[in-house]
Amino acid sequence: MGGLVIKRAYILAQQKDEFTTTARRIQAIFFLATPHRGADLAQLLTKILNITPGQRPFVTDLHRNSLATQSINDEFPHYSQHIQLFSFYETLPTSYGVGKSLVVDKDLATLNYANERTAYLEANHRNVCKYADQNDTNYKTVRNALASTVDSFRTRSTVSKLELDRDQRRRLDSYLRITDAPEDDFMDIDSLRMRGSCEWLLQRESFLDWRDSANTQLYWISAKPATGKTIASGKVVSHLRDLNRDCAFYFFKHGDKSKSTIQSFLLSMAWQMAFMHKELFRVVLEVCEKNDNLSQADYRTIWRKLFLEGLLKISLVRPQYWVIDGLDECRNNSDMVPLLLKATESCAVRIHLTSRDRFESHRQSGHPRARVLSEIIATQETKSDIALYLKANISHLPSVDQEDRQVMFDKILAKSGGCFLWVKLILQELGRVHTSAEIRQVLEDVPSDMNELYSRILNSMSAAPYGKVLAKAILTWTVCAARPLTTEELFHALQIDIKDSIDSVERSIASSCGQLVYVDSHSRVQLIHQTARDYLLQHDKHPDFGIDKRAGHKRLALTCLQYLNGSEMRGPRHRKLSFTNLVKERCPFVVYASILLFEHISHVDATDEEVLSALAKFMGSSNVLSWIEYIARFSDLTRLIQAGKVLRSFLHKRSKKLSPLGKEFALLDSWATDILRLVTKFGRELLSSPSSIFHLIPPFCPQESAPRKNFAASPRSIAVLGLSATEWDDCASTIFEPKEQFHALACSQIHFAIGTFARNIVLYSAETCQEIHRFRHCEPVRLLHFGQTERLLAAAGAKTIRIWDLTTKQQLWDFKTPQLCMSLATTEGDELLLGALKSNNLLVWDLKMGALRDCANWTEDFEGQRAHTFRRPIAAAFCMDSNLLAVVYRGQDILLWDLERDALYDTYNKTAGASPMLGKRAADAGAIALTFNRASGANLLAAAYSDGDLILFDTSDGYVRALTTANAHTLASSPDGRTLASGDGSGKLQIFDFETLKLLYCIQSTEYGIKELQFSGDNLQILDIRGSHCRVWDPVVLVRQDAEDESSDVVSLSTAPQEVEMSAIEETPLVTALTCQEAGEMFFCGKENGSVHMYEAKSGKHMQKLLSHAEGVSITALSLDEESDALCSTDSSSRVMVHRLVRQSQGWSVSEAVFDHRIGVSVNQVLSNGGCTRLLVSSATSDTLWSICANKSEIIRTVQEEDRGAYRWTTHPLRKDQLLLIVGNVAHIYDWLTLSRLTSTEGILLEGSILPELSVQSITPCFGGSIMATAFKESIGARAKSKLLLWNSSGFNVEATSAVPVPKYQYLSDQVQVLIGSDGQKLVFLHSSGWVCSVDTQATGMEHFLRHFFFPADWLSTDSPLIIEITRRSDIIFVKRDEIAVIKRGLETSERGLDGGIGKSSSLTDVRRPSLQVPADSR
């Protein structure tokens, strides 16, 4: 009982301040037969003591699982996880008069903690601490444990120097996504090893040669399954540690995705080596800090950056040992062997490896210096270890006498065949029998073959009267799970699955399938061995417990769907959103179900109606929004991308066998597209505000999309009206940088990059279109190119080419160029970079050495054709597959240069193809753009000509293969070579079949000037840049799989090429001006064709056309006077018209113009007073006040002005008979009736931080006119820098000489992108983040404002000024090119920041997402 007292004392010392110093000094505790969970013998002792006098309450505390022991065991794990624990248990029975038995059984004497080591003692309970002499084996066992512990303390004192900087350690853990799991794995395995086992391995000459030889080598041990390879690996680790050698290790595990990849192996080894050596720690930390996403890279990148260029370059004094177990359980294990061989060649790394396979099956050439020792574990060697295992456990088995026990021992050992797993299972069988006859029967009947043994186990499970349903469920979840579930996860999953409650997963496993499934020290449910999984998946082997893989995944998928469709995943019912009230308590199964559902959907039968219905039920409920919100908040948006692709694949496979009709199919087909679009169009908003998926995103989706149809129809929710789009268009995403001009574009499989005139390179994720990183190029970027391995990015400016490492995000090299580079290419492996310059030079750089390797002029040897030498080329393209360079000269034939022979290959004429007349001038038009077909062996070159022709040349024979008209200015080939895209100056994007130039599809955009086109790495998207925009297009025609391709996983509908008949596209006039009725019932818009229209604000519907200026003359301004219903319109020809609106029974009409005058100079502003008796018409050089009468209008006064720069007039918010003028940073007050200036010449000086380059853009009265909001902006650019200042209106009077902004609104100064207006109560503005925000009179001056909703990025991506208004009913009116959107109830929705402050400005730009601890492989 002393061990229990020590445990309670240690707990109290940790809890009480006065003893914490003492508690911290305790580093290890040794328990000798301590009854951690009580002892069964205590119950007998209690009965005996009950008949004797006296009280002995402590005996009751020793009952199995008593309250006293449970209390200690509940607290002890929390305080003991950082110390070493040793538990020794008795193996001999103790005599107590009426009988004999073990006092404390093994399961009661051990804790089963991750940091516990156990060992048996050949002693009874009385003698576990009594030793005859120093040669006593029990004494040696305890002494060795004490000695190794003391030695580990000494070693730790040196290693602890690396742990001084805890911040650096935490950062490295975060970078590599590694915790203390490696040590946990070792301790789990080492705790299973019997003392004295595996000694045969340490005594082998080959092992000693590997351990001690001066030459590094790979020691490869192979053996049959379940023969103790993992235990042997653990012994090697322990042995090397005992010798104080530097040892890193890894145990592969096939059933756990997080422990079965090369990536996880490399990261773990780097982590372990870093904490063994300071210099390695610094190297790893530096590499990770340069690339914080290294843990998500592919294994080749990790190997190169962390090992080849990092760890393996550092010379260490001591040899390094790697112990690797279970290579056969590693995915792509054949790819790992070359890495290991390279490691042994590069530095002093000695690798010990176990695998089912022999090295000979992985032998590769290319590593002549690598030394490999390959051996097989013989059955006789493992039998010695099995004997030790039997000796330690045989006493627990039933037997009549010692002779019977020895017979049983010999039979088990003989039949084992060296298989530890077989022995373990047979011991479990024997533990269930009680007579000698039963023992003999078990020994005779149990087969020695593992498959036969598994069959016997399953048969016994089938014969059990209870628990078969639960056992089948546990086996199915353990076999088919995407990763091992924790007991808590499985507890909830099973109850959903079998539709019944269970008391304990651990007890259920032990009672129903304990021979095949176990719970590890981290509470994860595991299969006993990979061979058990293999056997169970042969479902025809057993009728009750065989598992059909597809049916198993279906079962798990349906369970996940049932959970996701349950009450825990219901979304919020209110629209007053906040970050805190959405993070609700959910059971642990939410992690698995949410993140890994579609892992199982990808394996189910697509024709399964039950799965289809369950998916449709989930996707049709509001729970799907909670699922999206959960993924955005706690996981990764790529999970949504993967879900969309899996759903597409599922439907595509289904449509091949069943009719793609029905509501369920249509719903899922819609979601397959909708999920992808939600990420690409709203990814930024989902990450910064995951809760926006509930009420803010669905209304902005197209009318026929599933989110809009199902979740945006509530009469109380935000509504977006007036738009005609019913489906998603071909534009998947829009990237808009208003202060940038995009000049270059490049795509790879996982990234795309945009180069700007402002010297920036922005790297994006190809999947989510979210920004990853920004590089600074130091000059305008003209050209971008990804390397063939996709780890390098080359960027060319006018004078410099820079090479960037995408892994570290660091610049590798910079090369000076005498002329502008037209095209770049890399050779295989990215060893060389080729550049074609406008000086007719081909430059070749060595990317390993960072130096110029070669330079050639492709025109210097031309005879008699010196025109080529002096004429500058305009475009060039490489084809590395054919070793060709094509060069375009203005007005001349295309020149093809052979890169391999360094000689002229041919010249191509537009009409004849290959031409022998070098330098023949093109008769009618010259090429302006060209591209090679990127497919291997295609031999095709497409060229666009200035007369609009598009020509396809066959470079193998020089013939013209095809011709069509495209008017193309830029061309791009898909990576697979099947598709050609062209862009022209009008913004039209055309898609052709590359081999025939047959037009497949056309995208007509209203924005002009496509500068460059590129295909995405998967051929499924086209990217273009024009101005400040980059658009990602994904028309379904790009999905062009062959008819026989049954494995395509990207579409759910026919993708036959769509032939396009070109016809004139009807031009819809753009909306250019907007004004709203104060009551909010209607609004008016002017269009670029000169017409003025009326719309209903309630529905956003067009009511009628009111009037028109001259055809084709754009309306530039509209205003409405509420008192007189006078509508004033101004057009681009400086014509100003005033009409009065007349309400009629059938609608509205307008009177004849009461004012119609063309000013003759550009009109900057028109303003009327209340009642529209006065009209102020203002230009840059004059202000004219008109008197408006029914019969006659006349000029009252004209004030001539010098060019005064930007200015703005408004009616004084508090005195309607006065005008207020702001010019620069000075305000003046004028009389409305006479236009007489009432202030002094100096006017009213506007104090505050108004920069000289900013000019006033608008003046907006708010808060009942008490406050006046002024927006200042740079004069250049529609989305230029802006500043908002708020003033007290009362401060603008005729006596005032200065005015200062209201201090409590000063924080808004730099927050506002566009000032929208005021609804009387709130000032509404567009924040620079794209959110519509507001502030009211209750603002406390602590930087608080409400954010309500956001506009989609493509709404804001325009080079024209945004036109947005707000009505008195708080409806937001947004001009979207030729349409007008009405956002109703948008201001009724608001979000609360994480810190509890409503709309705090910092939360808009730096929203922190709460963290959730989930298994690494689920992220």
Side-chain angles (χ1 to χ4, degrees):
M1 192 171 180
L4 299 179
V5 175
I6 288 295
K7 287 165 70 176
R8 171 56 67 188
Y10 181 74
I11 293 170
L12 293 174
Q14 290 280 4
Q15 294 174 340
K16 296 183 178 296
D17 294 339
E18 59 267 35
F19 300 116
T20 53
T21 303
T22 301
R24 281 199 298 267
R25 299 182 64 182
I26 297 173
Q27 300 295 311
I29 301 178
F30 290 72
F31 297 103
L32 300 179
T34 297
H36 294 296
R37 298 179 182 83
D40 294 335
L41 199 61
Q43 295 178 343
L44 176 62
L45 182 59
T46 299
K47 293 178 182 178
I48 296 174
L49 293 176
N50 284 340
I51 61 177
T52 62
Q55 297 292 325
R56 296 172 180 85
F58 66 88
V59 178
T60 304
D61 292 340
L62 290 178
H63 286 191
R64 180 185 282 263
N65 293 325
S66 67
L67 291 176
T69 57
Q70 286 186 21
S71 174
I72 294 173
N73 291 333
D74 286 342
E75 293 185 86
F76 190 66
H78 299 292
Y79 297 107
S80 63
Q81 54 186 319
H82 299 300
I83 64 175
Q84 296 185 37
L85 302 175
F86 288 77
S87 294
F88 299 86
Y89 56 92
E90 62 203 72
T91 57
L92 300 180
T94 300
S95 298
Y96 46 86
V98 295
K100 65 177 182 177
S101 68
L102 296 177
V103 175
V104 182
D105 291 321
K106 176 183 176 181
D107 64 319
L108 302 175
T110 56
L111 294 165
N112 293 321
Y113 294 173
N115 56 330
E116 178 196 32
R117 296 182 66 174
T118 61
Y120 71 90
L121 299 174
E122 294 184 27
N124 59 28
H125 190 71
R126 293 192 185 97
N127 295 325
V128 290
C129 57
K130 298 177 181 178
Y131 313 117
D133 52 39
Q134 293 184 357
N135 295 320
D136 189 325
T137 56
N138 294 331
Y139 168 81
K140 290 181 179 179
T141 298
V142 177
R143 181 203 63 186
N144 291 345
L146 286 166
S148 64
T149 303
V150 173
D151 184 63
S152 68
F153 293 161
R154 293 173 180 151
T155 304
R156 186 188 305 173
S157 65
T158 60
V159 177
S160 63
K161 295 177 182 178
L162 301 180
E163 301 173 347
L164 293 177
D165 192 338
R166 295 183 179 273
D167 178 62
Q168 283 189 328
R169 173 169 183 151
R170 285 193 298 267
R171 281 158 51 201
L172 190 61
D173 291 348
S174 175
Y175 286 141
L176 297 181
R177 294 193 176 187
I178 299 291
T179 61
D180 289 330
E183 190 65 25
D184 294 343
D185 291 342
F186 166 68
M187 296 185 73
D188 289 345
I189 291 165
D190 199 46
S191 66
L192 300 175
R193 181 173 53 84
M194 302 302 301
R195 182 172 60 87
S197 65
C198 301
E199 294 295 334
W200 54 268
L201 176 60
L202 306 185
Q203 295 169 6
R204 278 189 174 187
E205 290 186 9
S206 55
F207 175 83
L208 297 174
D209 179 54
W210 167 80
R211 187 193 69 184
D212 301 328
S213 172
N215 300 316
T216 60
Q217 51 194 323
L218 171 62
Y219 189 30
W220 187 297
I221 294 181
S222 56
K224 295 186 298 183
T227 52
K229 296 186 296 296
T230 300
I231 300 298
S233 296
K235 173 63 175 179
V236 173
V237 174
S238 178
H239 172 70
L240 293 172
R241 285 186 168 185
D242 289 343
L243 297 176
N244 196 25
R245 306 289 176 90
D246 295 337
C247 175
F249 53 86
Y250 196 81
F251 298 90
F252 282 104
K253 197 163 190 178
H254 178 77
D256 190 340
K257 286 188 175 181
S258 67
K259 296 179 181 178
S260 60
T261 65
I262 301 177
Q263 291 96 317
S264 59
F265 161 76
L266 293 175
L267 293 172
S268 177
M269 300 303 277
W271 184 87
Q272 294 177 68
M273 292 184 72
F275 284 103
M276 284 190 286
H277 304 280
K278 272 189 175 182
E279 55 267 56
L280 298 187
F281 185 95
R282 285 193 294 268
V283 169
V284 174
L285 191 61
E286 287 174 3
V287 171
C288 291
E289 285 177 338
K290 292 176 181 177
N291 177 26
D292 54 4
N293 292 318
L294 183 61
S295 62
Q296 300 176 3
D298 64 276
Y299 75 83
R300 293 181 181 86
T301 300
I302 296 172
W303 170 251
R304 182 177 59 85
K305 297 309 303 179
L306 272 180
F307 289 87
L308 292 183
E309 300 177 4
L311 297 175
L312 301 184
K313 283 191 172 183
I314 305 299
S315 297
L316 298 173
V317 176
R318 292 157 55 93
Q320 304 301 298
Y321 294 87
W322 289 3
V323 179
I324 305 168
D325 176 66
L327 181 67
D328 54 283
E329 299 192 40
C330 170
R331 297 184 207 169
N332 304 321
N333 53 64
S334 59
D335 292 344
M336 189 167 143
V337 175
L339 308 186
L340 300 178
L341 295 175
K342 181 67 175 178
T344 61
E345 293 176 351
S346 301
C347 70
V349 175
R350 301 170 184 183
I351 301 175
H352 181 284
L353 183 148
T354 65
S355 176
R356 296 188 197 179
D357 309 322
R358 299 190 63 180
F359 172 73
E360 286 69 19
S361 64
H362 296 273
R363 185 181 295 276
Q364 298 179 358
S365 60
H367 296 278
R369 292 186 297 158
R371 294 185 59 201
V372 179
L373 294 173
S374 178
E375 293 190 348
I376 301 175
I377 297 179
T379 301
Q380 195 61 36
E381 291 171 320
T382 56
K383 276 191 174 182
S384 63
D385 291 341
I386 291 175
L388 290 173
Y389 180 74
L390 285 172
K391 187 176 181 181
N393 292 276
I394 201 77
S395 60
H396 301 295
L397 299 179
S399 62
V400 177
D401 52 34
Q402 184 63 34
E403 183 179 352
D404 287 345
R405 181 175 284 115
Q406 186 61 44
V407 170
M408 183 166 49
F409 180 100
D410 294 339
K411 283 190 174 182
I412 294 174
L413 187 61
K415 292 186 69 173
S416 68
C419 181
F420 273 94
L421 181 59
W422 184 90
V423 174
K424 181 177 181 180
L425 293 175
I426 198 67
L427 291 180
Q428 291 178 2
E429 288 273 344
L430 289 170
R432 295 186 175 92
V433 300
H434 304 283
T435 67
S436 297
E438 290 174 334
I439 292 171
R440 287 193 297 272
Q441 183 178 355
V442 169
L443 292 176
E444 293 297 330
D445 293 349
V446 172
S448 57
D449 179 77
M450 284 304 302
N451 282 352
E452 293 179 5
L453 179 57
Y454 287 141
S455 178
R456 175 187 171 88
I457 293 171
L458 295 180
N459 288 336
S460 66
M461 291 167 57
S462 295
Y466 307 106
K468 285 189 285 187
V469 172
L470 181 58
K472 180 62 179 287
I474 293 172
L475 288 175
T476 303
W477 276 92
T478 310
V479 168
C480 296
R483 62 161 174 81
L485 279 78
T486 65
T487 53
E488 288 187 335
E489 289 176 324
L490 187 59
F491 174 79
H492 295 280
L494 289 174
Q495 293 187 112
I496 298 171
D497 184 5
I498 66 175
K499 299 177 177 56
D500 200 356
S501 59
I502 58 177
D503 59 347
S504 167
V505 168
E506 292 89 340
R507 282 196 290 270
S508 299
I509 291 173
S511 62
S512 64
C513 53
Q515 288 182 283
L516 298 177
V517 179
Y518 71 100
V519 179
D520 68 14
S521 60
H522 305 288
S523 298
R524 294 174 302 201
V525 181
Q526 309 268 14
L527 270 178
I528 194 169
H529 199 267
Q530 177 61 28
T531 55
R533 173 179 281 103
D534 297 338
Y535 182 81
L536 289 169
L537 286 175
Q538 301 175 41
H539 59 92
D540 56 337
K541 292 286 185 71
H542 200 277
D544 291 336
F545 296 105
I547 297 171
D548 179 273
K549 187 175 183 180
R550 183 166 288 185
H553 282 291
K554 171 186 173 180
R555 181 171 186 167
L556 270 61
L558 291 176
T559 303
C560 292
L561 283 168
Q562 188 175 345
Y563 170 78
L564 293 175
N565 226 12
S567 58
E568 282 193 2
M569 291 299 287
R570 287 179 188 154
R573 297 182 178 180
H574 49 79
R575 291 183 297 121
K576 295 291 183 180
L577 302 179
S578 73
F579 286 99
T580 53
N581 64 17
L582 286 172
V583 185
K584 58 168 65 175
E585 286 293 327
R586 296 180 173 125
C587 77
F589 185 56
V590 65
V591 180
Y592 189 94
S594 297
I595 295 176
L596 296 172
L597 163 65
F598 283 92
E599 291 271 352
H600 299 295
I601 297 295
S602 65
H603 291 93
V604 302
D605 184 356
T607 63
D608 194 295
E609 296 294 335
E610 189 177 5
V611 173
L612 182 78
S613 298
L615 270 172
K617 180 181 178 183
F618 170 56
M619 293 292 190
S621 72
S622 61
N623 289 35
V624 70
L625 302 183
S626 294
W627 169 70
I628 294 172
E629 185 264 347
Y630 183 91
I631 296 293
R633 188 181 299 279
F634 296 120
S635 185
D636 189 330
L637 291 185
T638 56
R639 288 285 178 182
L640 296 178
I641 295 287
Q642 293 164 5
K645 291 181 177 179
V646 169
L647 194 54
R648 275 189 175 182
S649 174
F650 177 84
L651 297 175
H652 175 56
K653 294 173 184 176
R654 182 181 178 85
S655 65
K656 287 181 174 292
K657 299 178 180 180
L658 299 174
S659 173
L661 300 177
K663 291 183 179 179
E664 292 179 337
F665 189 98
L667 174 65
L668 297 180
D669 189 54
S670 176
W671 268 113
T673 299
D674 296 337
I675 292 176
L676 302 177
R677 284 292 195 267
L678 289 176
V679 174
T680 56
K681 285 189 176 290
F682 302 101
R684 177 186 173 190
E685 289 75 19
L686 279 172
L687 288 175
S688 66
S689 176
S691 59
S692 61
I693 188 60
F694 292 107
H695 300 291
L696 303 187
I697 291 177
F700 288 97
C701 297
Q703 297 173 22
E704 294 300 316
S705 66
R708 175 72 174 267
K709 288 173 66 176
N710 296 339
F711 310 117
S714 170
R716 296 181 299 167
S717 66
I718 182 175
V720 180
L721 309 173
L723 300 181
S724 61
T726 59
E727 297 178 345
W728 298 104
D729 58 21
D730 291 321
C731 182
S733 184
T734 300
I735 296 168
F736 178 55
E737 293 282 351
K739 298 180 181 179
E740 297 271 19
Q741 284 293 310
F742 294 164
H743 272 245
L745 178 67
C747 296
S748 72
Q749 283 283 352
I750 57 177
H751 298 121
F752 66 90
I754 300 173
T756 75
F757 188 77
R759 307 177 182 188
N760 294 315
I761 303 169
V762 190
L763 188 68
Y764 295 88
S765 164
E767 275 198 323
T768 65
C769 299
Q770 301 301 302
E771 181 179 326
I772 296 175
H773 192 75
R774 284 182 177 248
F775 303 98
R776 187 67 175 166
H777 188 66
C778 301
E779 63 178 340
V781 182
R782 307 285 185 176
L783 186 64
L784 290 172
H785 175 77
F786 281 101
Q788 293 182 351
T789 61
E790 301 191 2
R791 56 184 176 83
L792 296 181
L793 176 64
K799 298 180 180 180
T800 306
I801 295 176
R802 286 181 167 82
I803 310 299
W804 305 88
D805 187 316
L806 298 180
T807 303
T808 64
K809 306 298 187 296
Q810 298 296 309
Q811 180 179 315
L812 296 178
W813 315 108
D814 66 274
F815 306 124
K816 301 301 180 183
T817 56
Q819 291 286 337
L820 186 66
C821 188
M822 300 180 292
S823 183
L824 290 170
T826 50
T827 60
E828 187 174 353
D830 292 340
E831 294 181 357
L832 301 177
L833 174 69
L834 285 70
L837 275 57
K838 279 186 172 288
S839 59
N840 291 319
N841 284 321
L842 173 65
L843 272 61
V844 181
W845 292 275
D846 187 325
L847 294 182
K848 286 189 173 181
M849 304 300 295
L852 182 64
R853 179 168 174 175
D854 196 6
C855 178
N857 187 306
W858 59 75
T859 63
E860 64 180 358
D861 293 332
F862 293 169
E863 297 180 3
Q865 297 296 330
R866 298 191 58 82
H868 277 295
T869 305
F870 299 107
R871 292 187 64 97
R872 286 165 58 86
I874 60 173
F878 284 99
C879 179
M880 300 311 297
D881 184 65
S882 301
N883 286 313
L884 292 178
L885 168 66
V887 186
V888 172
Y889 293 85
R890 195 177 307 277
Q892 294 191 13
D893 292 344
I894 299 172
L895 181 150
L896 270 71
W897 185 260
D898 190 318
L899 298 173
E900 190 171 7
R901 296 189 301 114
D902 197 19
L904 178 67
Y905 179 81
D906 216 331
T907 58
Y908 284 174
N909 182 273
K910 176 186 173 185
T911 56
S915 171
M917 297 294 293
L918 178 62
K920 179 181 177 182
R921 189 171 184 82
D924 44 8
I928 55 176
L930 75 171
T931 185
F932 282 99
N933 188 300
R934 294 170 62 184
S936 178
N939 299 319
L940 296 176
L941 172 67
Y945 285 80
S946 57
D947 61 355
D949 286 346
L950 178 62
I951 308 293
L952 183 65
F953 299 101
D954 189 324
T955 57
S956 62
D957 55 24
Y959 291 139
V960 174
R961 175 79 68 88
L963 180 149
T964 190
T965 300
N967 295 311
H969 290 175
T970 182
L971 299 172
S973 167
S974 61
D976 63 6
R978 302 184 66 179
T979 313
L980 174 70
S982 73
D984 64 21
S986 68
K988 182 169 62 179
L989 193 157
Q990 298 182 82
I991 300 171
F992 301 89
D993 180 89
F994 207 124
E995 292 188 356
T996 64
L997 294 190
K998 179 186 292 184
L999 181 63
L1000 302 178
Y1001 198 73
C1002 178
I1003 299 173
Q1004 184 68 55
S1005 175
T1006 55
E1007 293 169 342
Y1008 297 99
I1010 297 177
K1011 184 169 184 60
E1012 189 170 357
L1013 288 173
Q1014 291 286 344
F1015 276 84
S1016 61
D1018 60 4
N1019 308 288
L1020 300 179
Q1021 294 178 325
I1022 301 175
L1023 289 76
D1024 73 47
I1025 54 173
R1026 51 186 107 186
S1028 300
H1029 313 85
C1030 173
R1031 281 190 166 79
V1032 182
W1033 306 94
D1034 64 349
V1036 71
V1037 72
L1038 292 179
V1039 187
R1040 302 171 59 208
Q1041 74 273 12
D1042 297 325
E1044 67 273 17
D1045 181 10
E1046 295 291 331
S1047 62
S1048 174
D1049 61 350
V1050 287
V1051 291
S1052 55
L1053 48 91
S1054 172
T1055 58
Q1058 306 172 34
E1059 294 190 37
V1060 178
E1061 181 180 347
M1062 298 303 296
S1063 58
I1065 298 177
E1066 182 180 353
E1067 292 286 344
T1068 305
L1070 303 181
V1071 176
T1072 53
L1074 179 70
T1075 191
C1076 299
Q1077 183 195 39
E1078 186 171 350
E1081 296 179 356
M1082 64 192 71
F1083 58 89
F1084 307 88
C1085 76
K1087 300 190 176 183
E1088 64 178 355
N1089 64 354
S1091 59
V1092 178
H1093 301 256
M1094 176 187 291
Y1095 288 76
E1096 181 184 49
K1098 180 179 179 181
S1099 64
K1101 293 182 178 179
H1102 179 265
M1103 296 175 65
Q1104 65 187 90
K1105 177 181 175 181
L1106 294 176
L1107 58 100
S1108 182
H1109 287 228
E1111 181 67 28
V1113 180
S1114 178
I1115 304 297
T1116 58
L1118 287 175
S1119 62
L1120 177 68
D1121 176 61
E1122 299 285 340
E1123 293 183 26
S1124 61
D1125 287 332
L1127 181 65
C1128 177
S1129 56
T1130 307
D1131 66 27
S1132 57
S1133 69
S1134 303
R1135 184 183 183 187
V1136 180
M1137 300 177 69
V1138 177
H1139 298 78
R1140 298 196 185 275
L1141 299 176
V1142 180
R1143 184 187 292 272
Q1144 297 179 338
S1145 59
Q1146 299 299 322
W1148 293 77
S1149 65
V1150 292
S1151 66
E1152 291 293 327
V1154 297
F1155 181 85
D1156 187 350
H1157 185 76
R1158 181 170 280 105
I1159 306 305
V1161 295
S1162 178
V1163 176
N1164 291 341
Q1165 189 179 5
V1166 176
L1167 187 68
S1168 66
N1169 68 341
C1172 198
T1173 59
R1174 293 288 187 274
L1175 188 71
L1176 177 65
V1177 180
S1178 180
S1179 68
T1181 57
S1182 66
D1183 300 310
T1184 302
L1185 184 65
W1186 291 78
S1187 172
I1188 307 298
C1189 301
N1191 301 321
K1192 183 180 180 181
S1193 298
E1194 57 184 11
I1195 297 175
I1196 296 177
R1197 185 179 181 189
T1198 297
V1199 178
Q1200 298 295 329
E1201 297 283 354
E1202 297 181 1
D1203 193 354
R1204 53 189 166 184
Y1207 63 92
R1208 205 69 185 166
W1209 288 93
T1210 189
T1211 299
H1212 197 291
L1214 299 179
R1215 290 176 282 277
K1216 302 303 181 182
D1217 59 342
Q1218 292 181 356
L1219 278 164
L1220 184 64
L1221 170 67
I1222 296 180
V1223 182
N1225 63 343
V1226 176
H1228 289 279
I1229 299 176
Y1230 288 78
D1231 181 80
W1232 242 125
L1233 296 178
T1234 63
L1235 199 60
S1236 301
R1237 188 174 64 209
L1238 303 179
T1239 50
S1240 64
T1241 305
E1242 291 76 14
I1244 303 171
L1245 179 64
L1246 303 182
E1247 299 181 355
S1249 55
I1250 303 176
L1251 302 177
E1253 64 269 19
L1254 300 181
S1255 55
V1256 64
Q1257 295 293 309
S1258 65
I1259 306 172
T1260 304
C1262 53
F1263 309 149
S1266 62
I1267 297 293
M1268 188 171 64
T1270 57
F1272 293 83
K1273 205 170 191 179
E1274 289 178 341
S1275 58
I1276 301 176
R1279 304 286 300 280
K1281 180 179 178 182
S1282 60
K1283 183 178 286 289
L1284 179 71
L1285 296 174
L1286 274 67
W1287 319 81
N1288 281 313
S1289 301
S1290 59
F1292 291 84
N1293 54 69
V1294 295
E1295 292 83 14
T1297 58
S1298 64
V1300 295
V1302 180
K1304 73 174 184 177
Y1305 299 115
Q1306 198 70 20
Y1307 67 92
L1308 289 174
S1309 175
D1310 298 316
Q1311 300 287 340
V1312 178
Q1313 181 69 34
V1314 175
L1315 179 61
I1316 296 175
S1318 173
D1319 64 355
Q1321 303 297 322
K1322 298 183 286 290
L1323 182 66
V1324 183
F1325 59 91
L1326 178 68
H1327 191 270
S1328 55
S1329 64
W1331 282 76
V1332 172
C1333 304
S1334 71
V1335 64
D1336 56 27
T1337 55
Q1338 303 303 316
T1340 61
M1342 297 179 66
E1343 301 192 12
H1344 284 201
F1345 53 80
L1346 290 171
R1347 67 175 187 176
H1348 302 285
F1349 65 91
F1350 49 79
F1351 291 120
D1354 58 334
W1355 286 32
L1356 304 177
S1357 60
T1358 173
D1359 291 326
S1360 304
L1362 296 175
I1363 304 176
I1364 317 175
E1365 295 282 348
I1366 183 171
T1367 70
R1368 291 290 177 177
R1369 297 183 178 182
S1370 299
D1371 296 334
I1372 304 294
I1373 315 297
F1374 187 100
V1375 173
K1376 191 172 182 286
R1377 300 194 62 79
D1378 59 323
E1379 295 187 303
I1380 301 177
V1382 179
I1383 296 93
K1384 305 186 75 66
R1385 298 181 293 276
L1387 300 187
E1388 297 175 15
T1389 299
S1390 60
E1391 279 214 347
R1392 182 181 295 274
L1394 281 173
D1395 58 357
I1398 300 178
K1400 193 165 184 179
S1401 58
S1402 60
S1403 69
L1404 286 166
T1405 56
D1406 187 23
V1407 178
R1408 297 176 57 199
R1409 297 162 63 199
S1411 61
L1412 178 69
Q1413 297 299 318
V1414 299
D1417 56 334
S1418 293
R1419 293 185 183 274

